[in-house]
Amino acid sequence: MRANRTMSYGRAEAFMTQLLFRNFKLLEPRVGELQDGFELLVEGDTIREVSERSIRSGAAEVIDCGGRTLMPGLIDCHVHVFLSEVNIRFLEAVPLTLATARAVALMRGMIDRGFTTVRDTGGADWGIKEAVEKGHVVGPRLFIAGQAIGPTGGHSDPRRRTDYSLGLRCHCCNAMAFTMNVSDGVSEVRKAAREQMRQGADHVKIMMSGGVASPYDPLDSLQFAPEEVAAAVEEARAFGRYVCAHAYTPEAITRAAQAGVRTIEHGNLIDEAAATLMAEKGMFLVANLVAYYAMKERAAEYGMTADMLAKNDLVIEGGLRSLEICKRAGVPVAYGSDLLGALQVDQSREFVIRSEVVSPLEIIRSATTIAAQVLRMEGRLGTLKAGAYADLLVVDGNPLKDLSLFQDQGRHLSAIMKGGKFHKNRLH
Ligand SMILES: [Zn+2]
């Protein structure tokens, strides 16, 4: 068995291109300061070697980084590539062809900003994931949830009040019906979770409290009941997946934590007790402060309604405080943005917003090493060590001193590589 593997490796190796990165400052997020004198060899889609000595490889093409910073590609743990409207109700009028075309543009923007991996928390399906993997469209690696699952009247129930159909058993084929799921009771939740995983979901997304972008559910409403959450968690675990839960309030977070949910999305209104419980359970918070700032500033012009914006005001204040509470409690916080439609250009602003209360190193870790833990891809993503995917950025400066280097739609990134292939390279 072992001999076999070595042989096939050897054979593949003969055809793999090698790239040797030189003359850079290494930003390995686990280390936390820039390191001089390293070289890094990429072979195929993988980092083969990182060494303090010069790496000898006759066949390799040499990439001179000109003294810039080399770091892992960024990971955003909360995006929606199919939610291309700021008022997501408008998705009702968007056919899937148009939704897909818009997703392609949104994903290109993400990788242009240096996000080589994103975790979609509702909407993206295996088709768009495969389109990226096969190279049909340009975009970051996708980890997907399929449809977001919530109860009748919850954050993922897109029906108007004039719609008396039960659930989403309509014959609609639009971006709204495609991305959201309504299920009630243990057996329906179980079935919906299984269905998403049958469709290739990497994680199961459920709704535990009200949300901003849904008009009818109060923010502090409790959504899935304990037995419904437990059913989703049981099914996700049985399939080797996990549950991520949309939740704002301590009550919703606590209910999710007690039922075995692994990540809390948003969590703005978290308190010390809920954070302590999360830490005890080994959970993660995926925060996304920028979404609330961007909505407050610009969502009205894209048709977000006053009742939604009123709910936005309830959570925006909690954002920075939630980061401080989680830090004290020892809950790791991953990078998220959760921006809808045209607001997605603000994706990298989360770095700057968080820097009010968190150090640049911690924020960079939230978008690299911690994000990789969320994705269960430790050692493969979010790091530059040997054996990781060759997802790299060459940055024109030191992000540990200046997080604004991630702003301006990638202007300060001289090179972006995903899986050993340059998405951008202006080093020569
Ligand atoms: Zn979201």
Side-chain angles (χ1 to χ4, degrees):
M1 193 61 196
R2 176 174 290 180
N4 235 336
R5 212 180 283 160
T6 313
M7 271 173 60
S8 65
Y9 172 80
R11 231 180 287 137
E13 192 180 31
F15 300 100
M16 268 190 222
T17 47
Q18 291 190 328
L19 296 167
L20 181 57
F21 287 79
R22 281 189 176 146
N23 190 19
F24 57 82
K25 294 180 173 35
L26 179 69
L27 199 178
E28 170 56 55
R30 288 170 304 141
V31 175
E33 56 188 28
L34 296 192
Q35 297 171 282
D36 274 315
F38 278 82
E39 295 194 353
L40 182 145
L41 182 68
V42 169
E43 186 180 87
D45 65 356
T46 305
I47 295 171
R48 184 57 57 205
E49 191 178 347
V50 186
S51 175
E52 276 193 89
R53 282 192 288 264
S54 65
I55 297 172
R56 258 181 287 162
S57 172
E61 182 188 335
V62 173
I63 312 288
D64 186 328
C65 299
R68 296 176 180 83
T69 303
L70 186 70
M71 67 172 289
L74 302 171
I75 304 170
D76 187 334
C77 284
H78 194 123
V79 305
H80 298 283
V81 304
F82 273 130
L83 302 187
S84 55
E85 291 283 351
V86 176
N87 182 343
I88 55 181
R89 307 280 123 180
F90 296 168
L91 291 173
E92 216 173 45
V94 176
L96 295 186
T97 42
L98 180 56
T100 307
R102 289 177 176 183
V104 168
L106 291 172
M107 289 191 300
R108 178 181 273 278
M110 291 174 179
I111 194 165
D112 284 348
R113 292 186 280 271
F115 289 91
T116 48
T117 298
V118 299
R119 172 176 175 262
D120 192 286
T121 48
D125 73 327
W126 68 273
I128 195 81
K129 176 172 172 162
E130 184 161 323
V132 174
E133 280 173 6
K134 294 275 157 62
H136 300 307
V137 301
V138 172
R141 293 173 194 287
L142 276 173
F143 288 77
I144 60 168
Q147 295 178 322
I149 308 168
T152 290
H155 184 46
S156 63
D157 186 341
R159 291 170 303 154
R160 295 164 189 274
R161 279 181 168 159
T162 46
D163 181 350
Y164 288 84
S165 64
L166 286 175
L168 287 174
R169 310 272 183 266
C170 65
H171 297 286
C172 330
C173 184
N174 62 55
M176 181 88 103
F178 187 71
T179 54
M180 297 183 199
N181 179 292
V182 176
S183 293
D184 297 290
V186 167
S187 65
E188 277 189 25
V189 172
R190 210 181 271 290
K191 189 166 189 170
R194 285 174 172 163
E195 178 61 20
Q196 303 321 308
M197 293 185 287
R198 183 181 81 85
Q199 296 279 343
D202 298 297
H203 44 270
V204 172
K205 168 75 178 294
I206 62 166
M207 302 306 186
M208 294 303 297
S209 78
V212 171
S214 43
Y216 311 132
D217 53 338
L219 204 73
D220 58 358
S221 61
L222 279 169
Q223 300 203 346
F224 273 138
E227 62 273 19
E228 292 172 313
V229 193
V233 169
E234 190 182 11
E235 292 308 323
R237 282 186 183 156
F239 210 85
R241 302 290 186 266
Y242 68 92
V243 173
C244 57
H246 162 105
Y248 283 107
T249 59
E251 294 75 18
I253 294 166
T254 301
R255 182 180 282 189
Q258 284 167 343
V261 164
R262 186 163 170 264
T263 70
I264 296 295
E265 313 297 310
H266 322 304
N268 298 40
L269 306 178
I270 195 168
D271 64 8
E272 309 277 346
T276 303
L277 180 63
M278 283 180 68
E280 282 167 14
K281 300 259 184 193
M283 295 171 69
F284 297 85
L285 177 74
V286 181
N288 56 284
L289 278 51
V290 64
Y292 311 103
Y293 290 76
M295 283 193 280
K296 190 175 180 66
E297 292 160 7
R298 296 176 357 247
E301 65 191 80
Y302 295 106
M304 190 167 260
T305 59
D307 43 8
M308 294 178 190
L309 289 168
K311 292 201 279 187
N312 192 51
D313 283 340
L314 293 176
V315 293
I316 196 166
E317 301 306 332
L320 291 170
R321 192 171 57 242
S322 72
L323 300 184
E324 294 173 310
I325 290 173
C326 283
K327 189 174 172 179
R328 278 200 298 275
V331 177
V333 180
Y335 192 98
S337 58
D338 198 23
L339 290 155
L340 301 170
L343 303 179
Q344 289 195 15
V345 291
D346 280 13
Q347 186 178 25
S348 310
R349 200 176 144 204
E350 181 80 6
F351 284 99
V352 177
I353 293 170
R354 288 192 189 191
S355 65
E356 265 190 62
V357 295
V358 188
S359 74
L361 174 61
E362 287 171 280
I363 307 170
I364 288 169
R365 283 179 176 159
S366 79
T368 52
T369 47
I370 294 171
Q373 287 172 24
V374 167
L375 297 169
R376 292 178 164 163
M377 292 295 282
E378 274 178 280
R380 301 304 310 279
L381 295 175
T383 176
L384 293 181
K385 68 180 184 187
Y389 283 116
D391 291 6
L392 321 165
L393 306 180
V394 177
V395 188
D396 302 345
N398 180 1
L400 292 170
K401 294 234 163 74
D402 184 5
L403 286 170
S404 71
L405 290 164
F406 297 130
Q407 308 302 296
D408 306 320
Q409 311 304 318
R411 198 190 307 160
H412 314 290
L413 307 177
S414 277
I416 300 168
M417 170 175 277
K418 188 189 93 178
K421 294 202 173 81
F422 277 113
H423 168 65
K424 172 184 183 180
N425 182 9
R426 58 170 195 221
L427 288 169
H428 44 233

